[in-house]
Amino acid sequence: MISIKSKREIELMIVAGNIVYETHKHLKPLIKPGVSLLELDSEAEKFIISKGAKPSFKNYEGFPNATCISVNEEVVHGIPSNRKLKKGDIVSIDIGADYKGYHGDSAWSYAVGLIDDDKKYLMEHTKKALYEGIKMVKPGNRIGDISHAIECYANDHDLGIVRELCGHGVGNHLHEEPDVPNYGFAHTGPILKEGMVIAIEPMLNLGTDDIVVEDNDWTITTLDRKPSAHFEHTVLVTKDGYQILTGE
Ligand code: MG
Ligand code: MG
């Protein structure tokens, strides 16, 4: 069952989404060589709480921190540690905020100082793949239209698509129906309707699409250890298109 949000629910989700966006903006200047992942996580947690929300990921299925922070070959679900970022790293920070029971969810990949051209290419085109997906959001289109647009864009740019993980509905649960895969066929899947809210989140790899789960049972890395990027927005289906709730 895909929930259609009421006006009141949408108002709360706009606030939740904006808190996530503001948290990303708060972290961005702190992402520099020498900063530890735990410092970034703690800043995010304090910031979210200062806005009257709670970090959605903390204790979610036992996840220990406020944010997921994944470096280089880590795809998603990195657990913040004392590891310090180095010049040339790329770091993906996934942030969720729960405002009065409603969630916003957005991940963004950032360059740490100067990065090489391969990583620039990966980040640029993973971000563009996200917006290719978002462009398909309007009532009457189907989830498969989003999936197909992302898949075509990733294939055209020779990037590996992580298939084991996907986007999802968002609401008073962080993860709701429907699944929003990053590959699929146009004109298939659930029909989008005004008032639905979905997180679209391509995870693309510079190399192979194969992944492994690390020994901590959370962190997912690329099998070939080549870098991966992750861009995600929470998006509301409006009367004639979409509204991005977690940024622009
Ligand atoms: Mg998500
Ligand atoms: Mg997320």
Side-chain angles (χ1 to χ4, degrees):
M1 185 59 193
I2 303 173
S3 65
I4 303 289
K5 274 69 183 178
S6 67
K7 192 161 172 280
R8 177 187 162 272
E9 289 178 305
I10 290 169
E11 282 168 5
L12 294 174
M13 295 196 74
I14 287 171
V15 178
N18 196 50
I19 291 170
V20 172
Y21 182 40
E22 293 292 328
T23 309
H24 273 289
K25 286 200 285 192
H26 177 70
L27 290 187
K28 193 175 177 193
L30 307 174
I31 300 168
K32 286 193 278 212
V35 72
S36 80
L37 308 189
L38 272 174
E39 287 173 83
L40 294 174
D41 180 69
S42 145
E43 271 302 318
E45 182 167 11
K46 277 189 281 181
F47 188 85
I48 291 168
I49 290 169
S50 79
K51 299 292 175 188
K54 290 184 288 193
S56 304
F57 303 162
K58 195 148 194 179
N59 302 318
Y60 183 86
E61 293 181 3
F63 190 79
N65 291 81
T67 58
C68 298
I69 307 186
S70 309
V71 183
N72 296 329
E73 74 279 6
E74 295 172 352
V75 179
V76 285
H77 303 167
I79 298 177
S81 66
N82 286 319
R83 175 177 183 172
K84 287 184 162 62
L85 291 175
K86 295 199 298 276
K87 189 177 88 178
D89 286 339
I90 57 170
V91 60
S92 303
I93 304 183
D94 198 348
I95 300 173
D98 167 352
Y99 181 74
K100 299 189 177 175
Y102 286 83
H103 298 269
D105 185 7
S106 171
W108 216 251
S109 296
Y110 298 94
V112 183
L114 284 178
I115 58 170
D116 66 32
D117 287 346
D118 280 353
K119 284 176 172 168
K120 271 187 207 157
Y121 178 91
L122 170 69
M123 294 217 319
E124 177 189 346
H125 293 298
T126 307
K127 191 201 293 186
K128 285 184 174 162
L130 166 63
Y131 286 96
E132 287 299 306
I134 290 173
K135 275 193 235 164
M136 302 310 291
V137 177
K138 64 174 183 185
N141 272 4
R142 292 174 181 263
I143 292 291
D145 296 315
I146 301 169
S147 305
H148 185 66
I150 293 171
E151 180 180 12
C152 290
Y153 191 87
N155 287 341
D156 285 349
H157 292 83
D158 210 17
L159 295 171
I161 300 169
V162 175
R163 286 158 200 272
E164 290 83 347
L165 297 150
C166 60
H168 49 91
V170 190
N172 58 354
H173 297 96
L174 178 62
H175 296 120
E176 299 185 348
E177 287 181 47
D179 282 349
V180 185
N182 294 309
Y183 64 96
F185 296 103
H187 315 305
T188 65
I191 298 173
L192 297 171
K193 294 182 184 151
E194 183 182 359
M196 289 180 178
V197 181
I198 53 174
I200 303 174
E201 49 179 315
M203 290 149 260
L204 302 183
N205 301 342
L206 199 53
T208 171
D209 54 12
D210 293 319
I211 54 169
V212 286
V213 182
E214 295 299 310
D215 290 341
N216 65 19
D217 285 337
W218 277 107
T219 311
I220 291 176
T221 56
T222 56
L223 181 66
D224 60 10
R225 316 296 284 181
K226 287 189 180 169
S228 184
H230 183 202
F231 288 86
E232 174 186 30
H233 271 314
T234 299
V235 180
L236 167 70
V237 184
T238 60
K239 189 162 173 278
D240 45 19
Y242 62 85
Q243 180 182 348
I244 299 174
L245 302 185
T246 46
E248 292 156 38

